[in-house]
Amino acid sequence: MMNLWTRYQQHLLRYPDLGFSLDISRMNFDDGFFAKMEPLVARAFEDMKKLEAGEIANPDEGRMVGHYWLRNSALAPTPELAAGIDNDIADCKVFASKIHSGEITAQNGAKFSKLLIIGIGGSALGPQFITDALVDAHSAPLQTYFFDNTDPDGIQRTIANIGADLATTLSVVISKSGGTPETRNGMLEARAAYERAGLDFSKHAVAVTGTASGGISSKLEAYATENDWLKIFPMTDWVGGRTSIMSTVGLVPMTLQGIDIDLILSGSAAMDEKTRTLPTAQNASMLLALMWYQAGNGKGAKDMVVLPYKDRLMLLSKYLQQLVMESIGKQHDLDGNVVNQGIAVYGNKGSTDQHAYVQQLRDGVNNFFATFIEVRKGSDQPQVEVDPNTTASDYLQGFLRGTRKALFDSDRESVTLSIEQATPYTVGMLVALFERAVSFYASLVNINAYHQPGVEAGKKAAVDFLKVLTSVRNAIAHAGSATANVIAVSIQADPEEVYHCLTHLAANDPQIQVQLADSPGDDLFTWVGQSS
């Protein structure tokens, strides 16, 4: 291999006007790689043009994919769509201003002091990432909490942390359909908590959901309208959850928390412009997609380990985990062939990871490539000298460079992204960078990045399980005492699934008890409540 300094200079891409750079010099591509990939690259650029022009990109759902229009409405294929984007941005700002000024108050007449965001998947993870990266709790107009699961213990802990301030807590419920079980359950748990405190949930509630005016009327819209919630913001059918940060899903929480959404939108638009118009050698998103392809041989053979060296970006790895894995993890390609594509993504933050799993990355199985995220400026505040002429920021840089070198010396590949600071503008750039890289990579490997049949299959299986659970509960109440095998025969169900139902019920329903035997098949479940 050539001299590393020479290779670094040849394969460092810089956008000086954005304060951004991408270093791919520590990836093991050969001199002929880019020429070999050119036909696939040309197709990916063409696919992107069609996507941004409004071609149906998700044939499963018959919808366009337009998250790129959200930060530049002039790109939207119709004036109506452009106007809707602009109106949503303006509406978010106006509503947040009324909340902050006290024009809209809590039921008790006081200003809202806290924000509870209720969602799942991209409807929670995107806002969580943005909140952790950009919001300082001591200066934010609203302190933010999340329900992002249907775990009752987690929900109760969050309510306990909010405490008496529930009276001045604004709840934002985010669900396109309004039927997502986790979000619906969170909403019902929140409503019950408000009612226990003698409060009217409706006077503290906002919906972000599909609306009749947008062509996707939802259960949540109907419920919020019927109960006279404070506000209903529309979601569009052409924005998927994992790419919804720049839609009302992200903009409503951002404006309520005082984030300058014009900056985050302009940052993403600026990165979009670079990666939309520039050729391969100068296109950061295409280079990222090509490095993913090269590292995993176009088949996801290696995992992506995301290592942001900045506490503010700790949730970036979780955000990218959903963006990449839900988009790329597909059984079939666009021609119907079974390909089982995917790139596994994990990570935490540097230098914390160096005291966790970097040992395996350096010396263990070589089944990954690293993505380092460098934030050049350590802090806006004066820094303490922890050693003579050395600050904590110097150490952080040393750990990043040292880990990168140690991995390369052990034939481990990596790319390094660098930004000046973690600001709304640069976070917007990162979001746009990875969104387009995912789209490009999907074209390179000939899959649909915009549907999620595996997720839908899991939802259906969960619904089926809940139906069996109801039947099992009724059957054990009728039988009085029985094993899983007996109940399974009586309701014509799978005995293992029945056993899991009975075990769950015994742990959560005081009317059902279990006596363990030597084998799960002999465990005896007894109904101790009143006979049905």
Side-chain angles (χ1 to χ4, degrees):
M1 184 174 288
M2 71 175 68
N3 176 277
L4 288 180
W5 170 235
T6 301
R7 184 174 174 84
Y8 173 76
Q9 293 179 82
Q10 288 184 356
H11 297 295
L12 176 70
L13 172 63
R14 294 191 288 188
Y15 296 153
D17 52 330
L18 303 186
F20 169 88
S21 68
L22 170 65
D23 168 21
I24 61 171
S25 66
R26 267 50 174 182
M27 298 295 288
N28 295 335
F29 54 88
D30 58 34
D31 292 340
F33 173 71
F34 292 104
K36 181 182 70 175
M37 293 297 296
E38 189 52 40
L40 293 179
V41 167
R43 185 182 71 181
F45 278 129
E46 186 61 29
D47 287 346
M48 181 61 70
K49 287 181 182 179
K50 294 176 182 177
L51 180 104
E52 291 194 304
E55 183 177 274
I56 298 299
N58 189 347
D60 291 7
E61 301 174 15
R63 64 176 174 87
M64 301 179 291
V65 173
H67 50 275
Y68 300 106
W69 312 330
L70 296 170
R71 47 262 198 172
N72 185 351
S73 61
L75 295 172
T78 69
E80 293 77 15
L81 288 177
I85 293 167
D86 294 337
N87 289 340
D88 286 345
I89 294 171
D91 207 15
C92 289
K93 293 178 180 178
V94 170
F95 181 74
S97 177
K98 290 180 178 180
I99 293 292
H100 297 159
S101 68
E103 183 177 342
I104 298 175
T105 64
Q107 183 179 357
N108 62 7
K111 280 187 178 183
F112 285 105
S113 65
K114 297 189 185 300
L115 175 64
L116 174 61
I117 298 173
I118 303 171
I120 192 72
S123 295
L125 188 52
Q128 281 176 313
F129 163 52
I130 295 296
T131 298
D132 200 49
L134 300 177
V135 176
D136 295 318
H138 67 277
S139 60
L142 299 174
Q143 187 177 0
T144 304
Y145 300 82
F146 290 88
F147 286 177
D148 65 346
N149 198 1
T150 187
D151 175 12
D153 179 61
I155 289 170
Q156 290 156 13
R157 290 179 67 192
T158 300
I159 291 295
N161 288 336
I162 294 173
D165 288 335
L166 191 66
T168 54
T169 296
L170 180 69
S171 287
V172 177
V173 184
I174 306 175
S175 174
K176 184 182 289 187
S177 69
T180 306
E182 296 94 336
T183 305
R184 186 222 36 210
N185 295 353
M187 180 194 75
L188 295 176
E189 290 271 11
R191 186 185 70 182
Y194 279 88
E195 290 173 349
R196 289 194 299 270
L199 301 167
D200 183 350
F201 179 60
S202 298
K203 298 186 183 303
H204 301 79
V206 171
V208 181
T209 190
T211 61
S213 60
I216 49 171
S217 181
S218 72
K219 297 176 182 178
L220 180 56
E221 180 192 23
Y223 184 85
T225 301
E226 179 183 349
N227 290 277
D228 195 25
W229 284 17
L230 293 175
K231 181 73 174 176
I232 301 174
F233 288 94
M235 292 175 71
T236 58
D237 68 341
W238 40 266
V239 175
R242 56 190 175 276
T243 56
S244 62
I245 279 186
M246 307 297 171
S247 74
T248 50
V249 169
L251 297 181
V252 171
M254 280 190 259
T255 51
L256 288 170
Q257 294 174 94
I259 296 173
D260 189 334
I261 61 172
D262 289 334
L263 284 177
I264 200 165
L265 290 168
S266 60
S268 56
M271 183 59 75
D272 278 343
E273 183 62 24
K274 298 282 190 186
T275 55
R276 175 184 301 112
T277 60
L278 292 174
T280 301
Q282 300 167 8
N283 191 308
S285 289
M286 181 58 79
L287 289 177
L288 265 185
L290 286 168
M291 293 305 99
W292 299 352
Y293 189 102
Q294 180 269 325
N297 196 28
K299 300 181 184 300
K302 289 191 175 183
D303 302 341
M304 183 192 309
V305 182
V306 181
L307 298 170
Y309 276 69
K310 176 63 67 174
D311 286 1
R312 287 182 179 272
L313 299 182
M314 182 175 69
L315 292 184
L316 178 61
S317 57
K318 287 183 65 177
Y319 171 75
L320 292 179
Q321 191 173 66
Q322 184 194 17
L323 176 65
V324 174
M325 295 179 72
E326 195 168 68
S327 299
I328 303 303
K330 302 297 161 61
Q331 181 179 17
H332 296 97
D333 67 12
L334 292 173
D335 300 319
N337 302 309
V338 174
V339 291
N340 297 117
Q341 274 286 353
I343 301 175
V345 180
Y346 63 92
N348 182 20
K349 65 179 180 181
S351 64
T352 300
D353 288 335
Q354 291 179 219
H355 298 270
Y357 53 76
V358 167
Q359 166 62 35
Q360 177 171 312
L361 298 186
R362 173 62 171 76
D363 293 342
V365 59
N366 190 357
N367 64 347
F368 72 95
F369 63 98
T371 300
F372 291 101
I373 313 290
E374 174 191 19
V375 179
R376 297 189 186 97
K377 189 173 183 61
S379 173
D380 287 330
Q381 305 300 320
Q383 298 185 49
V384 172
E385 287 192 6
V386 294
D387 285 326
N389 299 314
T390 306
T391 65
S393 176
D394 297 332
Y395 267 98
L396 192 64
Q397 176 69 190
F399 288 135
L400 187 160
R401 294 298 159 189
T403 302
R404 174 177 173 269
K405 181 179 186 302
L407 292 181
F408 183 78
D409 288 347
S410 193
D411 196 30
R412 270 62 170 166
E413 296 176 282
S414 69
V415 299
T416 302
L417 309 175
S418 300
I419 57 175
E420 290 295 337
Q421 291 180 274
T423 66
Y425 190 88
T426 58
V427 168
M429 285 176 6
L430 289 177
V431 169
L433 172 77
F434 281 101
E435 283 183 348
R436 195 174 297 266
V438 164
S439 294
F440 281 151
Y441 183 84
S443 292
L444 294 178
V445 298
N446 195 38
I447 60 168
N448 181 354
Y450 311 108
H451 68 163
Q452 48 279 333
V455 175
E456 300 307 318
K459 290 179 180 178
K460 181 181 182 302
V463 170
D464 292 343
F465 177 86
L466 291 171
K467 291 178 181 177
V468 175
L469 184 67
T470 298
S471 297
V472 169
R473 191 180 191 282
N474 291 336
I476 191 65
H478 178 75
S481 185
T483 64
N485 289 327
V486 171
I487 296 298
V489 170
S490 71
I491 64 172
Q492 297 183 328
D494 175 65
E496 182 180 338
E497 189 165 41
V498 169
Y499 178 79
H500 292 312
C501 289
L502 287 166
T503 301
H504 169 77
L505 291 169
N508 291 278
D509 188 338
Q511 299 183 104
I512 300 173
Q513 296 180 355
V514 59
Q515 181 178 348
L516 297 181
D518 292 336
S519 168
D522 295 325
D523 290 352
L524 188 63
F525 296 87
T526 302
W527 173 267
V528 296
Q530 293 183 350
S531 175
S532 60

